[in-house]
Amino acid sequence: MTEPRIGLIGLGTMGRALTLNIAENAEPLAVYNRTTERTHEFMAQTRASEPALAERILPAETLLEFVDSLSSPRAIIIMVDAGPAVDKVIADLRPLLNDEDLIIDAGNANFHDTNRRAAEAEQQGVPFIGMGVSGGEEGARHGPSIMGGGPKDHWDRVAGVLQAISAKYQGTPCATWMGTGGAGHFVKAVHNGIEYADMQMIAETYGIFRDGKRRDAAAIGAVFAKWNEGPLQSYLVEISGKVATATDPETGKPMLDIILDRAGQKGTGRWTVIEAQHLGAAIPVIEAAVLARNTSAQLDRRQRGEHVFGPAPAPLPHDTLADATLEGAMIAGKIMCYAQGFDLLAAASGHFGWRLPMPDVARVWREGCIIRSTMLNDMATALADSPDENLIFAPFFRALIEKHIPDLRETVAMAQMHGLAVPALSAALSWFDMMRTGRSTANMIQGQRDFFGAHGFERTDKDGKGFHGPWAMNG
Ligand code: NDP
């Protein structure tokens, strides 16, 4: 093998899959892992299962051997645990590299860390790219969605390789440069926030079927499978149908009936919500999804609540909430959620000076990633037509909203009347109702603020700020 230009550090789940993908679809590469046994085990497995690919992978036992095995200018992808491990690997690598080389962090970094590492890289001389990779192990192996951030000229240097290994949407690679510094990792975090929300809305609809309509898991799975052939076509609806129809080989029961209702998280959804608060962006559907995961973790308390207050007064009356109504509610909820996600991206783009390419964000999510769906193609078109407009005002989505808001309203109203928790769907509806209320109730808030804190307000009938109410004179 001639000296490879690409190296990869970290042969965990994602690193192994990405290594095989690069070897198969791009070029030969060198690999290194902190624990050498893992490298040996990976190479032995690959030689046995995919000998042609093993020929294109050069394993190294030490970091120095790894760096020396690469031809300059090197491009080194780090795929290790996000956080201090990345700083440690960079600190070990930097003395061995020069300013022609490139370090790419492909883990799920917090974009603040990526901004810091980008700034350190500028001072210390080895260029740095922060790259969000979505699609899980399967995506990493056969085509992930890739969101890059950092110096554009260095991205361009490796773009060919990244596009070759990425997912393709009708032939277009899903690997795009989003902006400088932490832009790529920020877009990935928002992707994950939307993923939380999409999953939550599907779970809430499942709950209405299960508790409100007393439908069994297989029947619910069949509905999701049908929906996956319509406007809701997406990876998440597809796998939800498969999850619902699967049977536990041990007990013969539906898998969903034996999975404990306590959801985990690695924190990317939470980061999205925290950043939205910092930026003053409204993303209530994503917030509701994070809240729902947090609440799911309080299993004992929820069980006590059911014991003390009694379960929800379900089922729903027989003739309410037709399947088509629930499908319409999901369509409307999904549009609200994405509209909020893109609003957050726009807020961050302005604040951090990234100029995020909004249509390209939608395009890069069309394949390879967890939130891939048919609707994202329509979103890309809408954002290309009017990049600064909220998605709900784009003609295509406006028509869908007008058609399906009654479904969302009926679904949320019936669920709430019958005590079925639908935090994400109801957040979508409340946000929509706020967005179409020209005269909100914030005049009362301003009156209250002026009353207790003399904060001043604007008037509807005069220009200027800092007006006060009569309570100031009386007080
Ligand atoms: P794994 O737990 O499978 O592997 C972790 C890897 O990190 C191992 O190679 C481990 O090496 C290495 N590592 C940990 N600490 C250090 C350290 N201090 N110095 C050097 N190497 C270290 O993780 P994944 O492959 O699942 O995830 C890797 C990254 O990809 C994470 O940032 C994750 O969030 C992100 N990601 C994961 C996805 C997934 O679906 N799993 C999807 C998208 C992104 P060792 O063998 O020596 O322990």
Side-chain angles (χ1 to χ4, degrees), residues 10-14 33-35 38 79-82 85 107-108 133 136:
L11 293 172
T13 307
M14 292 293 283
N33 192 69
R34 175 183 62 174
T35 308
R38 207 195 269 252
M79 199 43 135
V80 304
D81 293 340
N108 262 341
V133 175

Side-chain angles (χ1 to χ4, degrees), residues 167-185:
K168 312 286 180 303
Y169 179 83
Q170 296 179 358
T172 305
C174 295
T176 303
W177 181 79
M178 296 294 167
T180 54
H185 276 135

Side-chain angles (χ1 to χ4, degrees), residues 270-286:
R270 192 188 311 133
W271 294 346
T272 309
V273 169
I274 290 169
E275 262 346 285
Q277 295 295 337
H278 283 308
L279 292 164
I283 56 163
V285 184
I286 298 172

Side-chain angles (χ1 to χ4, degrees), residues 127-352:
F128 178 77
I129 280 180
M131 184 171 93
V133 175
S134 176
E137 183 182 10
E138 182 66 14
R141 175 64 184 89
H142 297 292
S145 166
I146 296 177
M147 296 143 263
K152 177 78 165 60
D153 50 340
H154 286 281
W155 167 267
D156 288 343
R157 184 155 81 74
V158 286
V161 170
L162 299 173
Q163 286 168 355
I165 64 165
S166 75
K168 312 286 180 303
Y169 179 83
Q170 296 179 358
T172 305
C174 295
T176 303
W177 181 79
M178 296 294 167
T180 54
H185 276 135
F186 187 85
V187 173
K188 172 72 201 304
V190 176
H191 164 283
N192 284 24
I194 292 173
E195 173 186 311
Y196 275 48
D198 255 349
M199 292 167 72
Q200 177 63 24
M201 286 188 287
I202 295 170
E204 288 174 14
T205 311
Y206 156 72
I208 293 172
F209 276 125
R210 185 191 67 183
D211 302 330
K213 296 170 82 72
R214 298 283 194 256
R215 226 172 275 178
D216 65 33
I220 301 170
V223 175
F224 286 158
K226 186 162 168 266
W227 287 356
N228 195 45
E229 290 164 11
L232 287 174
Q233 188 289 319
S234 62
Y235 174 71
L236 283 170
V237 168
E238 180 192 337
I239 64 160
S240 301
K242 290 181 177 167
V243 168
T245 45
T247 304
D248 175 30
E250 271 181 47
T251 61
K253 292 182 182 168
M255 278 308 305
L256 273 178
D257 292 356
I258 56 124
I259 298 177
L260 191 69
D261 55 325
R262 192 155 54 189
Q265 59 174 309
K266 285 189 175 169
T268 42
R270 192 188 311 133
W271 294 346
T272 309
V273 169
I274 290 169
E275 262 346 285
Q277 295 295 337
H278 283 308
L279 292 164
I283 56 163
V285 184
I286 298 172
E287 283 169 10
V290 175
L291 163 150
R293 287 210 195 180
N294 294 343
T295 310
S296 84
Q298 301 177 339
L299 183 58
D300 292 348
R301 192 180 287 183
R302 286 188 289 111
Q303 288 176 340
R304 184 155 167 255
E306 181 170 314
H307 180 70
V308 171
F309 299 107
L316 298 166
H318 187 62
D319 55 351
T320 52
L321 293 189
D323 291 4
T325 306
L326 291 168
E327 183 183 20
M330 288 259 292
I331 292 169
K334 187 175 172 110
I335 296 168
M336 304 304 161
C337 161
Y338 280 70
Q340 294 166 15
F342 278 102
D343 257 3
L344 171 58
L345 288 170
S349 183
H351 183 82
F352 296 105

Side-chain angles (χ1 to χ4, degrees), residues 289-435:
V290 175
L291 163 150
R293 287 210 195 180
N294 294 343
T295 310
S296 84
Q298 301 177 339
L299 183 58
D300 292 348
R301 192 180 287 183
R302 286 188 289 111
Q303 288 176 340
R304 184 155 167 255
E306 181 170 314
H307 180 70
V308 171
F309 299 107
L316 298 166
H318 187 62
D319 55 351
T320 52
L321 293 189
D323 291 4
T325 306
L326 291 168
E327 183 183 20
M330 288 259 292
I331 292 169
K334 187 175 172 110
I335 296 168
M336 304 304 161
C337 161
Y338 280 70
Q340 294 166 15
F342 278 102
D343 257 3
L344 171 58
L345 288 170
S349 183
H351 183 82
F352 296 105
W354 287 326
R355 292 201 219 132
L356 292 175
M358 294 301 173
D360 287 340
V361 174
R363 286 188 193 111
V364 90
W365 291 344
R366 288 180 301 188
E367 256 313 330
C369 68
I370 303 295
I371 63 172
R372 60 187 183 261
S373 72
T374 301
M375 222 186 262
L376 270 165
N377 192 42
D378 301 314
M379 291 180 186
T381 306
L383 290 163
D385 290 346
S386 308
D388 300 324
E389 187 69 284
N390 187 283
L391 272 180
I392 61 170
F393 298 114
F396 179 84
F397 290 104
R398 182 184 150 182
L400 276 179
I401 288 170
E402 283 170 345
K403 183 171 173 200
H404 292 299
I405 269 294
D407 298 327
L408 181 59
R409 197 172 298 289
E410 188 183 338
T411 300
V412 170
M414 287 304 296
Q416 294 192 330
M417 286 289 289
H418 289 267
L420 300 169
V422 285
L425 288 170
S426 59
L429 181 63
S430 293
W431 180 77
F432 172 75
D433 283 337
M434 282 194 281
M435 289 300 289

